[in-house]
């Protein structure tokens, strides 16, 4: 059985979920990862589940998390604003996505990069779109999640847990 572990002093959350709210793919994946992790008893900071979504609250959420899950993706249309240029909706094009990852790095919070399976072949381009100070993620194994196949989806979710210290029996 998978379970949460005791968090060190100063860590309120097991995971912080970072994603582009202008990417329908990332929004859906973030919601599913949130549901998966919270069903297992993990505490997850997820902006749409927070009353306080201020910049200060985001930064505190990052700093108080044991792991930072970055759901990164390629440019795609914004389902809420279809006229937005798709390139402005990618993870590293979003100012606060970049800030969140920078806060994680500054606070020593390990980054777990996640991509939707359709973007697995674009990891090099995703890393190349990152600011220079965040391109280190290219040296971390990206976890791909496929929502269209339950068995593959479950493998992706287990890989997220394996990338952290949250182990099962």
């Amino acid at each position: 059985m998978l379970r949460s572990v005791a968090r060190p002093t100063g860590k309120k959350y097991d995971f912080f979920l970072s994603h582009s709210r202008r990417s329908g793919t990332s929004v859906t994946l973030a919601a599913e990862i949130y549901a998966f992790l919270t069903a297992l008893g993990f505490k997850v900071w997820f902006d749409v589940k927070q009353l306080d979504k201020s910049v200060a609250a985001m930064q505190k959420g990052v700093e108080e998390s044991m792991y930072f899950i970055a759901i990164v993706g390629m440019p795609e249309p914004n389902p809420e604003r279809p006229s937005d240029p798709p390139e402005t909706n990618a993870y590293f094009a979003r100012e606060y996505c970049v800030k969140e990852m920078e806060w994680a790095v500054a606070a020593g919070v390990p980054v777990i990069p996640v991509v939707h399976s359709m973007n697995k072949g674009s990891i090099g381009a995703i890393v190349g779109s990152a600011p220079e100070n965040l391109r280190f993620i290219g040296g971390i194994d990206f976890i791909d999640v496929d929502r269209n196949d339950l068995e593959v989806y479950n493998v992706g979710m287990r890989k997220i847990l394996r990338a952290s210290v949250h182990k099962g029996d």
Side-chain angles (χ1 to χ4, degrees), residues 16-127:
F16 183 97
L17 274 177
S18 178
H19 69 292
S20 170
R21 291 179 62 183
R22 293 189 179 196
S23 161
T25 303
S26 295
V27 167
T28 301
L29 199 53
E32 290 194 11
I33 292 170
Y34 174 83
F36 178 86
L37 292 172
T38 57
L40 294 174
F42 294 109
K43 283 200 72 173
V44 181
W45 200 101
F46 183 34
D47 59 356
V48 299
K49 301 295 185 183
Q50 301 298 315
L51 293 175
D52 184 356
K53 297 173 183 68
S54 67
V55 174
M58 286 188 294
Q59 183 172 357
K60 187 174 180 180
V62 169
E63 293 168 350
E64 291 181 345
S65 294
M66 289 177 52
Y67 293 91
F68 180 87
I69 298 174
I71 302 169
V72 298
M74 294 296 292
E76 67 176 81
N78 177 352
E80 294 181 12
R81 294 184 191 157
S83 62
D84 283 357
E87 60 274 7
T88 66
N89 302 325
Y91 185 87
F92 287 113
R94 307 302 312 149
E95 176 185 0
Y96 286 99
C97 292
V98 170
K99 284 184 181 195
E100 289 168 352
M101 190 177 288
E102 288 174 338
W103 294 330
V105 171
V109 178
V111 175
I112 301 171
V114 173
V115 294
H116 189 282
S117 60
M118 70 181 182
N119 288 321
K120 186 176 181 178
S122 301
I123 291 172
I126 291 168
V127 172

